[in-house]
Amino acid sequence: MARVILIALGGNAIKQADEKGTSEEQFRNCWKTTKHISEIIKNLDKEDRLVITHGNGPQVGNLMVQQKLAEGIVPAHPMDVVGAMTQGQIGYMLQQTLRNHLKKLDLNVPVCAIVNQVLVDKNDPEFFGDKASKPVGNFLTEEEAKEMKKNNPDYIIKKVKPNGERCWRRTVPSPDPISNLEAEVIKKLVDAGVVVIASGGGGIPVLEDEEGNYQGIEAVIDKDLAGERLAEIVGANIFLILTDVEKAKINYGHPKEKALGKITFEEAKQYFEEGHFLAGSMGPKVKACLRFLENGGKRAIIASLDKALEAFKGDSGTIIEKD
Ligand code: ADP
Ligand code: MG
């Protein structure tokens, strides 16, 4: 049976935590990342298909700083537009570097990044009260936080670290992705053999009004959960989440910490419910894997980007399968 693989790339695939985020650095990281991907493509059969999604946290953060600082000269753009900008930027870097690798390998596979909207529900709990859970932008002092709130009364600003000088950050809703608006065209491209890069940064979050019109909203969708929706669209049977750790762990950060190798759906579900995976990082990855398997996926893998090919072959990472 033909394999359809969905690869979700974490933040470290594009920008390392200790880097400033210059274009040169990001191209260098994308080059390393797409080398791994090209090695996977080399291992595929003719009828296999591949789709890629990626995060955009640091890029959105940096662009928002630029918007803020240049406000008096050029107008600042809202988060949905900034999200679209980063899909363009990262999509460009990934498609160019991947093409260059494929050329070296003499593989004639088309690659295409698309600007992609993801529908969310206006009644999602994240939009109400102070439920918004995703911190964005710079860390602020209490003073700066108060100032920001004064200038932007509708902003939700939360203390996101227990102590230190800068513990405050603007926080935006992180609603659950419902569906991918460009699903049909993505499916057509994938069926035609195109390596599609889509749903970048979790997709541009949009709401639908009573008349069926779509409109962007200031929110951030988790890229692993949105990646799972993308996997459903393209009928993926393998979901490969590449991040900065080799495996998901139970008792994370405790003396009895244990890295997980091959586990069943039931085991993963139990560990998830017991709260072993932190919200906002490993939590949504495991949740996305569980959804993927529930929706008919065959194998979900959480692995280190550096071991992408090994993980794809089943020799590295946390591998979750239904019995
Ligand atoms: P990405 O950019 O790849 O989505 P995240 O930072 O969101 O990366 O998620 C990966 C991080 O999840 C790891 O670096 C680790 O710090 C954190 N993490 C939280 N809980 C766990 C766990 N139970 N096992 C392993 N890593 C965990
Ligand atoms: Mg993440």
Side-chain angles (χ1 to χ4, degrees), residues 6-41:
L6 192 295
I7 296 184
L9 298 169
N12 67 320
I14 306 139
K15 180 183 169 292
Q16 302 292 320
D18 58 351
E19 290 174 343
K20 282 194 172 143
T22 64
S23 276
E24 200 184 2
E25 285 165 347
Q26 295 186 67
F27 265 117
R28 200 185 312 131
N29 294 320
C30 286
W31 172 256
K32 282 189 202 156
T33 298
T34 49
K35 181 160 195 337
H36 294 298
I37 295 177
S38 69
E39 281 162 1
I40 291 177
I41 294 176

Side-chain angles (χ1 to χ4, degrees), residues 10-11 223 243-244 247-249 252 276-278 281-282 285:
K223 71 113 184 17
T243 183
D244 57 359
K247 291 180 166 91
K249 292 171 174 172
Y252 182 62
H276 288 277
F277 316 112
L278 298 188
S281 56
M282 193 53 76
K285 292 186 200 308

